C-alpha cells in the first residue's frame, strides 16, 4: 500500500491543535501522549495516524503563549537572536542569556519527545516534527540536530542560534517552512535564516492576523483561497 502523504493542511491543523488541551484528535491523527506542559513554557505532544500498514507519527510543539508560565515563551523567543553583543546593555544581555537558556531547554524537551516517539514506533512508520511560531523554530533546530523531517509554519529564522547551521549541514534533514507573506515573524530574517525549503503563502493578511495559525489553517482548507497548497505534501518537489 502506498503511504499517504501528510499535507500542509494536516500539519497546520496539528499546529493549531497543540494549543488546545482538549484536542485529542486532529485531522485524522490521535494524540498518542498527554499534553506535556512545562514551567519553561514548552508545550508539546505526539500525534499518530494509522492507514493500513502505514503509520505516521508527528511531534508537535506549540508556539509562544505570552500569558502562560509568566511569559517564559516570550523570553525563549529572544534566544533566536543568538549570543548578545559584548556592548549590549546589561539588562538586555541578561534577557538574551535567559532566552538562550530557555530556548535550549525547550529544544531538549522536544528532543526527549522525539526519542519517546521513536521508542513507541518500534522501527515502524514515519516520524516528523512540526510547530507554529516558536514551535516552528524549535522544530527546525530539532530536525537539524536529530535528522528527522520538519515542517515549520510562521517560524522564526534559526541560524543565529549557535551550532544550528553546522548541525543542519551535517544531517541535511528535510525541512520545509511555510512563510506567510506579511507575517511580522519574518523580520527575524534580519538576524538569520530559515532552514530548508521555504514555501510562500501569499495571504493578504497583515499584522497579528498574518501570524495566526487558525487563519492560516482556514486559508488552506478545501473552501479556502489556498486549498491547492493545503493539499500538497510539504516534502514533494
Amino acid at each position: 500500500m502506498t503511504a499517504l502523504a501528510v499535507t500542509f493542511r494536516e500539519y497546520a491543523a496539528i499546529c493549531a491543535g497543540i494549543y488546545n488541551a482538549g484536542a485529542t484528535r486532529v485531522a485524522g491523527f490521535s494524540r498518542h501522549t498527554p499534553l506535556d506542559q512545562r514551567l519553561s513554557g514548552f508545550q508539546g505532544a505526539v500525534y499518530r495516524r494509522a492507514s493500513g500498514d502505514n503509520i505516521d507519527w508527528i511531534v508537535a510543539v506549540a508556539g509562544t503563549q505570552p500569558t502562560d508560565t509568566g511569559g517564559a515563551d516570550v523570553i525563549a523567543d529572544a534566544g533566536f537572536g543568538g549570543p548578545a553583543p559584548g556592548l549590549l546593555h546589561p539588562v538586555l544581555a541578561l534577557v538574551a542569556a535567559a532566552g538562550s537558556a530557555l530556548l535550549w531547554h525547550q529544544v531538549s524537551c522536544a528532543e526527549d519527545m522525539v526519542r519517546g516517539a521513536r521508542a513507541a514506533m518500534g522501527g515502524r512508520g514515519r516520524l516528523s516534527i512540526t510547530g507554529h511560531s516558536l514551535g516552528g523554530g524549535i522544530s527546525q533546530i530539532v530536525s537539524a540536530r536529530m535528522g528527522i523531517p520538519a515542517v515549520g509554519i510562521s517560524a522564526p529564522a534559526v541560524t543565529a542560534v549557535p551550532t544550528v547551521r553546522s548541525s543542519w549541514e551535517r544531517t541535511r534533514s528535510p525541512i520545509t517552512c511555510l512563510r506567510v507573506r506579511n507575517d511580522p515573524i519574518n523580520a527575524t530574517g534580519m538576524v538569520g535564516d530559515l532552514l530548508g525549503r521555504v514555501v510562500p503563502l501569499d495571504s493578504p493578511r497583515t499584522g497579528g492576523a498574518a501570524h495566526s495559525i487558525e487563519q492560516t489553517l482556514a486559508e488552506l482548507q478545501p473552501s479556502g483561497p489556498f486549498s491547492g497548497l493545503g493539499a500538497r505534501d510539504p516534502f514533494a518537489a
Side-chain angles (χ1 to χ4, degrees), residues 110-111 114-115 118 141-148 170-171:
E111 290 180 342
V114 168
R115 284 187 280 269
R118 281 176 169 166
I141 296 172
V142 171
S143 173
R145 286 163 54 88
M146 302 187 78
I148 67 169
R170 173 178 55 83
T171 63

Side-chain angles (χ1 to χ4, degrees), residues 114-139:
V114 168
R115 284 187 280 269
R118 281 176 169 166
M121 291 169 65
R124 296 177 59 239
R126 301 177 299 188
L127 175 63
S128 59
I129 185 168
T130 193
H132 164 255
S133 191
L134 167 64
I138 291 170
S139 296

